[in-house]
Amino acid sequence: MLSKFSQLLTVSAVLIIMITQAGAQSHVRDFPAEAGTWIEIVNPSGRVDVSSVAGAGGGTLSVTGDPVTESEIKVESKRGRTVITVAPEGKKRIDLSLKLPERTRLRITTGEGE
């Protein structure tokens, strides 16, 4: 279970990532993530690619596709679970790529399936 400080760091890092995404077509950023953490991703407008990285440490999030704004990617964290929701304005394609520590628990929903 993540401590409150770890949850705050995770949410803060992801929010910083999303703020810096405005107007960018591709961006890579590191963020804190621990093995055993629940991460749920909902992206009806593009692909989600996830790969695991051995050892402790953080994760890496890459956003590609059409330029995105802060309001198009929402991040919420509650009780050791982080939810990333992509809600594009119009018909944009937004692809996500994540590198996470091994044993991170995921639930991914895309426009084509789950």
Side-chain angles (χ1 to χ4, degrees), residues 10-100:
T10 301
V11 171
S12 297
V14 174
L15 286 174
I16 289 170
I17 292 168
M18 298 310 142
I19 289 169
T20 60
Q21 293 297 319
Q25 288 197 355
S26 178
H27 188 74
V28 177
R29 184 75 181 234
D30 294 332
F31 65 95
E34 297 177 17
T37 303
W38 259 107
I39 298 178
E40 182 174 350
I41 303 165
V42 180
N43 185 6
S45 67
R47 294 182 179 185
V48 177
D49 177 54
V50 178
S51 59
S52 64
V53 178
T60 303
L61 171 67
S62 176
V63 179
T64 59
D66 296 328
V68 297
T69 62
E70 178 183 349
S71 63
E72 292 177 304
I73 300 177
K74 298 179 183 174
V75 179
E76 297 177 339
S77 182
K78 293 181 184 177
R79 299 182 187 172
R81 176 180 224 131
T82 300
V83 179
I84 301 170
T85 306
V86 177
E89 298 169 356
K91 293 191 173 195
K92 289 184 178 182
R93 180 179 178 93
I94 300 171
D95 296 328
L96 302 177
S97 178
L98 292 97
K99 291 184 181 178
L100 301 169

